[in-house]
Amino acid sequence: MTRTPFRTRTLGAAALVAAVALTGAACGKSGDSTNAGSGGGSSSSASKGGDTKSFSYKVNTAADLKGSPVWAKAKKTGKITIGVKADQPGLGFQDVGTKKYSGFDIEIARMVAADLGFAENQINYKTIDSAQREAALSGGQVDLYVGTYTINDERKKQVSFAGPYFVAGQDLLVQKSNSDITGPTTVKGKKVCSVEGSTPLQNISQKKYGATTSSFDKYSKCVNTLLSGQVDAVTTDDAILLGYAAQYPDKLKVVGKPFTKEPYGVGLKKGDTALQTAVDNAITAHEQSGDWKKAFEATLGKSGMTAPQPPAITEK
Amino acid sequence: MDFLNTLTDNTELFRKGFLGTLALTGSSALIALVLGTLMAAFRVSPVPVLRWIGTTWVTILRNTPLTLLFFASVFAVPKLGLNQLTYFVLAMATLGFYTSAFVCEVVRSGINTVPIGQAEAARSLGLTFSQTLRTVILPQAGRTVIGPIGSVLIALTKNSAIAGGFNVVELFSTQKTLTENANPLFAVFFWIALGYLLITLVLSGIFRGLENRLAVAR
Amino acid sequence: MSATVLFDTPGPKARARSKAYTGITGLALAALLGWIGYRFWVTGQFDASMWARFEYTDVQWAIVQGLLTTLKVFAIAGAASLVLGAVLAVGRLSDHAPVRWVSAVIVEFFRAMPLVIMIYALYRWQFTDRPMWALVIGLTLYNGSVQAEVIRAGINAVPRGQAEAAYALGLRKSQVMRVVLVPQAVRSMLPTIISQLVVTLKDTSLGYVITYEELLYVGNQIAATTNTPNGFPYVQVMMVIAPIYIAMCLLLSWAARAIERRGGRTTSTGAALAGAGMAAGD
C-alpha cells in the first residue's frame, strides 16, 4: 500500500547519493589539502605534516652488515620496511591524499636507511600503532621501527633498540583556558587521554596521580576529544604534544613541565647486534654532519622548540 | 599453566569486564525493546507521518554499519557540544538505537501473525487503534515474538563487544591490558569468548523457557 | 496490508484527529531538526573551513580508494561465505555422522562468537601484517555459518518428492544435492541470502578496528589530518561517509526485495526466516 512509493523513493535516494559520491571525484581542486581548512586565524600553525622540505642523504651503497639476518633479507628483496607513525605532526605524519610521510622520525628513518644502503625509493614505510610495535618487530613485519619509541627495560625483553636519537619528556596538553592543570600532580579526578599500549598511559594511570584515563589507538583521537571537551588533558611526550599545540595555537597549550625522560630509540629485532651497531653509527654520523639539526629545525623546530644537543648513544 | 593463570591472575579485570558487558547489554536492551515497540506501533498506526518516521528510523539504522554508528557517536556527536556524555552512555544509546530497528521489525512481523479476526473483533467492539494495539494485538504478538527477540538480544550481546574498541570498559576491552601484560594470546581470547558464550547461553535458555511457557496454541 | 485491519477507514473525526497528530508530530520533528541545526550552527559545523578539504581531488580520491577497498573485501568475503555456507549446509545434512557433527560444531561456534573478537584475534595472531585477511577470514567464517543455516533451511523446504524422484532416477546423494536440492534452496532463499550479504557489507567496517584501510578508516584519517579553526571535521566526515554506506546497503536490500517480489517462489519458511535472519545478524 503505502510501501510502494516509499520503495521507489528510497531507491531513488540511494542511487542519487551513490551517483553524487562517484561523480564528486570528477571535479575538485588538486594539491595538498592537509591544511585546506585553516584560514587567517591560525596562519601561525606551521607544523603541517605535508609541507616539510625533504632532504636527501647520501646512500652508502657499500654497506654490508655481516651477521644481520634482517639486513640480509632486506638487501635481497631490495626493500627495507620501516614502521612509523602516521598521525603525529612534526614527527611521523602521512598525508591522506599523497600518502607521503614526513616529520623528524621520518628523517631519522631516511638517514639510517641511507647509511644501510637503501635509497629513498627502496624504503617501504608502514604505519604501525603503538600497541602493535613489538609484535610487528618480532614478527618480522618491519625491519626497523622509528616512531616515538621510548627505550625501556620492559620492551627490551621483546625487542632491541639503537640510539637514542632524541629525548622527549612526558607532558600534558590542555585547553588554552585551562589553569587548573599545571603538572602531573594536579590531574586528580580529571579525565586524561592517551594512547593504548604507550608508556605515558601507564605513567598517568598510576594511583598516586588519581586521574581517570581513557585511551584510543591514535593521539589524534585523544586530541579530538580534548577539543570537544570530553577530556581535560591529553598526555604523552612533549614533542608529540607540541605538534598538536602548533596546529591549534588559539585553543590548546602544552603545560610545559615534562615529568619523565623518554629516550626515543630505533626499534629492531631482538638480538640483531650487527644491525644495532650500524644504526647507532648512522645516527652518530648524521648528528655530527649537522643533518640531525637541519632535520629537527625543519620538522619539530617549527612548533617552537629549539634544537637541543643530540643525546649520547646508550644502546650498544 | 599460563593458560589458567591468565584467568586466575586477572580475576578482578575479568570481573569488571564481565559486569561492564552485562550493564551495557542490559541497559541497551531496555532502550531497544521500548523504542523498538514504539517504532513498530508507529509503523502500523493510522497517522501517515508516524508511519513515515517508523519506516525511516528502521531503514536508516538497519542499513548503517554499527561500527560507523559507534564512530559517529563517539567522535562526532560530542563535537556538537554534547560533551558531558560518557563513553558508556554513548555506547548504550548507540547499541539501543541500532537494535531498536531490529526489535521493531520483529514486533511488526509478530503483529502480522495475529489473526485478522482478532483485530476485526476488537474494532467491532468499538476499541480505538491504541486500545486495539495495547489490549488485543501486542499481548498476543508479544508471545509469538519471544523467540526472535531472543535472537535479537543475543546479537546485541555480541555486538556490544564493538564498544570495547570505543573506550567502554567491558569484556573485549580487557584484552588491551591482558595482551600488554604479555598473557598468551590464545588464553586471553579464549576466556573473553567464554564470557560472551556464558551470557548468550543463559539468554537463549531464558528465552526458550519463556517461549515454552507462553506459547500460544494456534 | 494487514496494518489496515488495525483501524477503520478514517471518518471525519478520525481524519481530524489524524491531522492533529500529524501537526504535533510535524512540530516535534521540526523542533528536533531545528535543535540539531542550531547545535551545528553554534559549534561552527557549517563553517566553510570544515568542508573545504572535500573539494580537493586527493581527498576525493582517498574516499574512492577506501570505497573500492570496502567493496573488494565485500566481494571476496561475500563469495567465500556463500561457498562455505553451501559446503557446511550439505555437511550438516550428510549421511555420515562425523561430517554432520563437525559441520554443526563449526556453524554453532562461529555463529556464537562476537565477530569483532574473532577478527581482532585473527589480526593479533597471524595477520598483523595483512589485516585484510583477518577481516576476510573473520567475515567468511561468521557469515558462511549463517548462510549455511539459511541454505539448510532452504534444502529442507524443498518438497520431499523432489529428492525421492531424483533418487528414483538413480542419482547419487551428491548429485541429488548438487543438481536438485541446493540450486532450488539457493533460489528460494535468495532474498534471505542477500539480506545476509547486506550484513556482510556492513561488517566490513570492522576493518576500522584492526586499522585496515577501508572506507571508515579512511574517513578517520581524513578527519584526523585536517586542521580547521574548529578542530577536526569528524561531523563532516560522517556526513560524507555514512550516506555512501547507507546507499550501498539500500541498493542491496532493494535487490533482495525485488527478487522476493519477482521470484514468487519463496516458501513460507523462507519468508519467516527472512525476518529472523536479518535480526540475528548484526
Side-chain angles (χ1 to χ4, degrees), chain A residues 65 67-71 160 268-277:
Chain A
L65 275 65
S68 168
V70 173
W71 185 86
S160 289
L268 38 94
K269 192 166 193 155
K270 190 171 166 62
D272 197 333
T273 44
L275 187 59
Q276 187 184 40
T277 314

Side-chain angles (χ1 to χ4, degrees), chain B residues 7 10-26 88 157 160 168-174 191-202:
Chain B
L7 181 68
N10 300 290
T11 42
E12 182 54 26
L13 194 65
F14 273 113
R15 198 183 65 91
K16 264 196 192 143
F18 190 74
L19 291 180
T21 295
L22 280 184
L24 183 60
T25 311
F88 183 87
T157 311
S160 74
V168 175
V169 178
E170 50 80 76
L171 260 177
F172 176 51
S173 72
T174 57
W191 294 118
I192 290 177
L194 203 68
Y196 282 99
L197 210 60
L198 200 67
I199 301 177
T200 53
L201 281 180
V202 168

